[in-house]
């Protein structure tokens, strides 16, 4: 059923992915500004990955030409893969925290005070902030749920691209 819907309305699927990403970002802002949770450096990187997935999926849904929407969908897939990697790394740090967890600099402090080649490894090393589990839903942390969402987006985008690549239809006829 899902694969039929992907074949029949790929632009709607891409628009739905974009809207889902915006909803996730809004929920993250709610957790930050209403609940009072402060995002760690890895959480901020995941937010940027969500923004990229939303923008690329939104652009893909807006473009009529098959080549354009497939290109933007491929970029959304790459951003979803990157977001899944960061979320998986943070989940791993939460399950197996380092023996010495220090609260390092915040994301912007790392970027401003260190060259990018040194700041990026610091972000993925995590800090005491990244290992903390401040909120859970059904036993999963924010990082766990973020990983599942990124993987879901990635699988749908991969199915969309694979099915569109196999179809013999081109142009606007393939975009219901």
């Amino acid at each position: 059923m899902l694969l039929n819907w992907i074949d029949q309305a790929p632009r709607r699927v891409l628009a739905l992915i974009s809207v889902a990403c915006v909803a996730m970002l809004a929920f993250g802002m709610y957790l930050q500004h209403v609940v009072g949770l402060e995002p760690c450096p890895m959480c901020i990187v995941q937010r940027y990955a969500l923004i990229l997935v939303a923008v690329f999926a939104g652009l893909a849904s807006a473009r009529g030409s098959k080549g354009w929407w497939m290109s933007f969908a491929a970029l959304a897939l790459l951003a979803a893969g990157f977001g899944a990697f960061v979320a998986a790394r943070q989940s791993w740090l939460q399950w197996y925290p380092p023996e010495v967890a220090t609260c390092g600099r915040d994301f912007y402090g790392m970027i401003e005070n260190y060259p990018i080649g040194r700041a990026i490894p610091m972000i993925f090393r995590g800090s005491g902030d990244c290992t903390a589990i401040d909120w859970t839903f059904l036993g999963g942390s924010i990082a766990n749920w973020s990983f599942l969402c990124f993987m879901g987006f990635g699988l749908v985008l991969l199915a969309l691209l694979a099915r569109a690549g196999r179809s013999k239809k081109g142009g606007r006829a393939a975009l219901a």
Side-chain angles (χ1 to χ4, degrees):
M1 183 169 113
L2 179 65
L3 293 177
N4 290 336
W5 188 55
I6 287 173
D7 285 340
Q8 293 172 356
R11 290 175 67 184
R12 289 182 186 157
V13 172
L14 290 164
L16 184 63
I17 289 172
S18 184
V19 168
C21 288
V22 171
M24 286 178 62
L25 288 165
F27 184 67
M29 291 295 141
Y30 166 79
L31 288 176
Q32 180 178 355
H33 296 290
V34 176
V35 177
L37 300 179
E38 285 299 317
C40 71
M42 290 180 135
C43 295
I44 293 171
V45 171
Q46 290 171 57
R47 284 185 185 179
Y48 286 132
L50 265 177
I51 290 168
L52 287 175
V53 172
V55 167
F56 290 141
L59 288 171
S61 71
R63 298 301 298 190
S65 166
K66 186 175 180 180
W68 279 105
W69 75 259
M70 286 185 69
S71 298
F72 283 128
L75 290 172
L77 177 62
L78 288 174
F82 175 70
F85 169 77
V86 175
R89 175 71 177 141
Q90 184 177 4
S91 293
W92 188 83
L93 285 172
Q94 289 174 347
W95 291 329
Y96 305 105
E99 294 197 20
V100 178
T102 61
C103 291
R105 293 181 177 263
D106 66 341
F107 178 76
Y108 298 107
M110 288 181 207
I111 298 297
E112 289 175 358
N113 294 320
Y114 295 102
I116 196 76
R118 190 164 170 213
I120 289 176
M122 290 172 67
I123 292 169
F124 290 108
R125 203 171 306 125
S127 65
D129 301 325
C130 295
T131 61
I133 300 174
D134 298 326
W135 181 90
T136 60
F137 177 71
L138 297 175
S141 69
I142 296 171
N144 302 146
W145 286 106
S146 180
F147 173 75
L148 289 175
C149 289
F150 277 121
M151 287 302 293
F153 296 149
L155 289 173
V156 170
L157 287 164
L158 189 61
L160 179 75
L161 289 168
R163 304 218 17 125
R166 276 195 246 151
S167 74
K168 302 295 181 201
K169 300 175 189 175
R172 292 190 181 270
L175 294 173

